[in-house]
Amino acid sequence: MQIIDFECDTPTKEAVEDTVRLIQSGRGFDKEGYAQQMAPGWAAQIGMSLEEFNEAKETVGLTALALKLCEVDMTKVMSHAQVIAMLDQAGVAMACIGNAGRRASNEDVAAFAAEYPDRLIPWFRIWGDEGEAGVAALEQGVRERGVRGFEISSYREQRYINDPVYRPYLAKCVELNIPVRITVGVHLLSDRPYDYAHPKYIDELAIAFPDLRIVSGLGGYPWIPDMVAIAGRHRNVFIDFACRRVKYMLSPGAGYEALIYYGARGLQDKIIFGSGWGTSMVPLVQLVAETDDLPLKADVRAKWMGGNAAVALGL
C-alpha cells in the first residue's frame, strides 16, 4: 500500500518566515475564534499557562502572541532532510506540501519539492484578489516549477467558495490538468459568516467545471451528509479528511457516520487521507498508525491512503 499524505505540514525555517509575513500582513490566524480553540496548545508552546496566555491576549494582543509563537517555532524548525526522514518513519511515500497550515511561500515550496521530486508534491496558494497576475503565477508555477495543485481557503479571504474571483483560476486548473483543493466546512473565525465554506458551493463549481478535479479539504464538517451526497453526484469531486483524527471520526455522535459508511461502499474511490499533523499537533507517524482502526477492507483502505490521491493528482 502506497501512502500519500494530502496535507503535510513542513515546519521549516522558510515556513516560519512566511507565517510571520502573513501575520504582519493581517492574513494570519491571530484572530478570535482560532485563538479560543488553539489557546491551550499555543500557551504551552510559548511556555505560559492558559490563564497567563488569556491575560496577555488582553494586554499585548493576539498578534504579539502569534509573533512570539513564531519565535519559539523558529527554534524548533525542521531541516529539509528531517522532513523526508519524518515521511520515512511514518511510511509515507509522497506528501503534498504548500497546502497546509504550516507552509512556506509558493517559491520556497516549489524549490523544496524540486530537491525531492519523487517524494514531495508542491501546491500553490494564491489570494483571489491577485487576479490575472495570480493566474499567470499559477501557470508559471505549473509549467516551470512542477506545481501539481491549487489551494483555496476562501473563508480566510472573507469570500464564499463560489466567489467569481476564483473562476479564472479554476478554468486555468482545467487547462493545466491539475486539481484544486478547497477547504470545506465550518471555520472558527468569529468575525465573518460561518458558512463561507459550505459544501453546497462545491456542487455549484462541479456543475460549472465538470472536468475539474475538486478535492474538498478537511471533510466538510458539520455538513458531512451534504458533502457525501455532493461527492456522489459528481465524478470529479473527492473528499479528504486532513486534520481529523480517525479515533474522533469513529466516535459515536461525532458526525462522520455518513463519510465512514459510504466511503467504505459507493464512495470508496473518493476519500483521501491527509494528516494535517501540524494543526493536530500529533506526530505524522502516530496519525498514520491510527488509520489502522478504519473499518475498511484492505483494498478500500489502500484507496483511501493513497490510491484515490494518485487519481486526484493525475499521477
Side-chain angles (χ1 to χ4, degrees):
M1 179 176 67
Q2 175 179 259
I3 299 175
I4 299 175
D5 184 352
F6 217 78
E7 185 192 307
C8 186
D9 292 88
T10 55
T12 61
K13 175 178 178 289
E14 297 90 348
V16 177
E17 290 171 343
D18 197 63
T19 299
V20 170
R21 286 193 290 269
L22 283 173
I23 293 170
Q24 292 174 338
S25 70
R27 287 176 160 171
F29 280 109
D30 52 323
K31 296 176 176 64
E32 286 300 339
Y34 278 95
Q36 295 164 234
Q37 182 88 358
M38 307 296 287
W42 289 354
Q45 290 182 68
I46 296 174
M48 293 181 172
S49 67
L50 182 58
E51 182 180 22
E52 290 170 335
F53 182 89
N54 288 329
E55 289 177 356
K57 188 173 70 171
E58 298 301 321
T59 55
V60 302
L62 272 174
T63 297
L65 287 170
L67 291 172
K68 178 65 176 176
L69 182 60
C70 289
E71 292 178 11
V72 175
D73 285 343
M74 190 61 82
T75 68
K76 301 183 293 184
V77 296
M78 298 175 70
S79 69
H80 292 187
Q82 286 173 324
V83 171
I84 300 302
M86 175 185 69
L87 300 183
D88 291 340
Q89 181 190 25
V92 173
M94 304 182 77
C96 295
I97 63 172
N99 61 359
R102 300 187 185 191
R103 64 179 184 88
S105 68
N106 290 331
E107 294 74 20
D108 286 330
V109 165
F112 182 15
E115 297 176 27
Y116 302 93
D118 296 331
R119 305 298 302 278
L120 301 178
I121 302 167
W123 287 64
F124 267 19
R125 181 180 293 168
I126 299 171
W127 299 86
D129 58 14
E130 293 184 44
E132 292 182 5
V135 175
L138 175 61
E139 180 167 15
Q140 181 182 35
V142 173
R143 298 193 185 281
E144 300 179 12
R145 312 201 70 176
V147 171
R148 302 297 295 268
F150 176 57
E151 175 85 3
I152 294 175
S153 291
S154 68
Y155 71 94
R156 294 181 64 180
E157 302 183 45
Q158 301 192 57
R159 304 180 192 274
Y160 286 92
I161 286 173
N162 63 342
D163 193 294
V165 301
Y166 299 125
R167 295 294 179 111
Y169 291 97
L170 302 181
K172 184 59 67 173
C173 287
V174 174
E175 177 188 330
L176 297 170
N177 193 30
I178 63 169
V180 60
R181 180 176 185 248
I182 304 175
T183 302
V184 182
V186 70
H187 63 84
L188 298 177
L189 295 172
S190 55
D191 63 346
R192 60 202 66 183
Y194 76 104
D195 65 340
Y196 273 138
H198 195 288
K200 64 184 178 182
Y201 303 118
I202 295 292
D203 189 60
E204 180 180 329
L205 296 181
I207 292 170
F209 298 93
D211 294 325
L212 175 63
R213 299 191 300 280
I214 301 173
V215 179
S216 305
L218 311 191
Y221 180 86
W223 305 294
I224 300 295
D226 298 63
M227 188 68 259
V228 166
I230 290 164
R233 276 169 46 82
H234 300 286
R235 61 185 173 87
N236 282 323
V237 172
F238 301 81
I239 306 170
D240 80 47
F241 57 97
C243 305
R244 303 292 183 264
R245 295 181 68 177
V246 168
K247 69 176 184 177
Y248 298 137
M249 291 168 58
L250 296 177
S251 297
Y256 289 88
E257 292 85 356
L259 187 147
I260 299 295
Y261 181 85
Y262 291 104
R265 295 167 175 82
L267 292 185
Q268 62 181 260
D269 296 320
K270 297 295 191 80
I271 312 301
I272 293 173
F273 167 73
S275 71
W277 69 269
T279 298
S280 302
M281 291 189 285
V282 176
L284 175 60
V285 65
Q286 181 177 338
L287 293 176
V288 171
E290 289 179 2
T291 65
D292 289 340
D293 294 330
L294 287 167
L296 305 173
K297 296 178 181 178
D299 61 330
V300 177
R301 182 171 180 239
K303 292 179 180 181
W304 280 40
M305 298 303 293
N308 294 338
V311 173
L313 290 162
L315 298 181

